[in-house]
Structure formats: structure tokens, C-alpha cells
Amino acid sequence: MDLSWILVIAGAIFAAIYLVYGMMDSRLKAMEKQLADMQKTIAAINSGEPLKEPPVNEGLRQLVQNGKDVEAIKMAREHLGLSLLEAKRYVDSLNGSK
């Protein structure tokens, strides 16, 4: 095996590591945001404050009223960090359907 193949393989490995790092970094930032939101909610519950509805709910309701349930579920997943099933149930609960 000559040097050029070794460099190609090393470059491919470096590129793969870089891509995985980027994906992990973005997922970690999303999880940190979710954790911060949960901490705020817990603090509000402990202090006896009434819980505020997430601002994204108005947009979700608008999408559902326009018959765009799939887009609403996608938006709920992105903004609230829910699984697919959780997002579906959340959007259905906003719509009043089961």
C-alpha cells in the first residue's frame, strides 16, 4: 500500500469523525436547552406560579386548523424535543381529538 492510499483512508476517517462530532454537538445543545426548559418549569411549579403555555402552541394550532398535522408534529418534535409518538399525542391534545 503506497502513501496516497494511506492519506485517503486517513482523510476519510478524519471526515467521519468530524461529521459524528458535529451531529453529537448539535444533539447535546438541543438536550441542554430541553434541560434548561425543564428546570424553569420545575422552578415555576415549586414556587406555585401558574404554568405558561409554550409559545409554539399557537403555531401548532394554526397548522392543525389548516390540515397540516404532519407539519405540526414535526414542529412539536423540533421545538419541544418530543418523540414521534409524544409529538402526535401532544398535537392531538391541542386539537381536542384522540
Side-chain angles (χ1 to χ4, degrees):
M1 198 188 288
D2 63 355
L3 184 60
S4 62
W5 280 106
I6 293 173
L7 291 175
V8 168
I9 292 171
I13 291 171
F14 178 74
I17 290 171
Y18 182 76
L19 289 173
V20 170
Y21 172 77
M23 290 184 327
M24 296 292 286
D25 187 51
S26 64
R27 290 189 68 183
L28 181 59
K29 287 179 182 176
M31 289 169 51
E32 287 172 342
K33 182 186 178 311
Q34 288 175 323
L35 182 58
D37 291 343
M38 285 186 226
Q39 288 172 330
K40 289 177 187 176
T41 301
I42 291 170
I45 290 170
N46 287 337
S47 68
E49 295 176 28
L51 295 179
K52 297 177 185 175
E53 185 175 84
V56 72
N57 282 3
E58 187 59 37
L60 295 174
R61 284 190 186 97
Q62 189 66 39
L63 286 170
V64 170
Q65 288 175 355
N66 293 334
K68 298 182 178 181
D69 290 2
V70 174
E71 289 86 349
I73 291 168
K74 182 178 177 185
M75 183 185 229
R77 292 190 72 197
E78 290 171 355
H79 288 271
L80 302 172
L82 303 173
S83 71
L84 181 59
L85 181 59
E86 291 168 336
K88 170 80 169 90
R89 289 178 178 164
Y90 188 81
V91 168
D92 287 347
S93 74
L94 291 176
N95 192 25
S97 63
K98 299 211 178 213

